[in-house]
Amino acid sequence: QVQLVESGGGLAQAGGSLRLSCAASGRTFSNYGMGSMGWFRQPPGKEREFVAAITWSGGSTDVADSVKGRFTISRDVATKTLYLQMNSLEPEDTAVYYCAARLSQLLLRSPLNWTSWGQGTHVTVSS
């Protein structure tokens, strides 16, 4: 019932910036209004890993150490859109980035705790 669609990925140079968006639709508002949304990424040949998460109602955040100070997660409640502003990009940030949601305000980092997923958007960072 919940649809999550990522966009904004692409190619960037090291040190550059990209802004990812995740548009939520369907029953997202009713099912996840009191829950959380987040971003995960999967580098080529590696497992999916946590990037950042935010509680939908209160806006509390959790950010992985690998991107802390460079990436900012935010959401627009009115438009039901999740964002990931990525600055100071590094080649190590190259991955498929996924938007996710869960019915809890507890910001757990394991992908196993997240129930709804987008299709992913590619981010490639070159030097």
Side-chain angles (χ1 to χ4, degrees), residues 6 38-42 48 96-100 117-121:
E6 302 96 333
W39 291 97
F40 294 76
R41 67 186 184 185
Q42 188 164 14
R48 191 170 301 186
V96 178
Y97 283 72
Y98 296 91
C99 173
W117 295 87
Q119 83 288 350
T121 184

Side-chain angles (χ1 to χ4, degrees), residues 63-72 87-88:
V63 182
D65 290 341
S66 59
V67 304
K68 191 173 298 181
R70 301 187 298 117
F71 291 10
T72 302
N87 298 326
S88 301

Side-chain angles (χ1 to χ4, degrees), residues 57-104:
S57 180
S60 299
T61 62
D62 182 31
V63 182
D65 290 341
S66 59
V67 304
K68 191 173 298 181
R70 301 187 298 117
F71 291 10
T72 302
I73 187 170
S74 63
R75 84 277 190 253
D76 188 323
V77 176
T79 62
K80 297 189 291 184
T81 305
L82 179 73
Y83 299 101
L84 185 67
Q85 179 65 49
M86 305 186 295
N87 298 326
S88 301
L89 285 165
E90 304 169 353
E92 293 76 18
D93 297 318
T94 296
V96 178
Y97 283 72
Y98 296 91
C99 173
R102 64 190 299 265
L103 285 167
S104 174

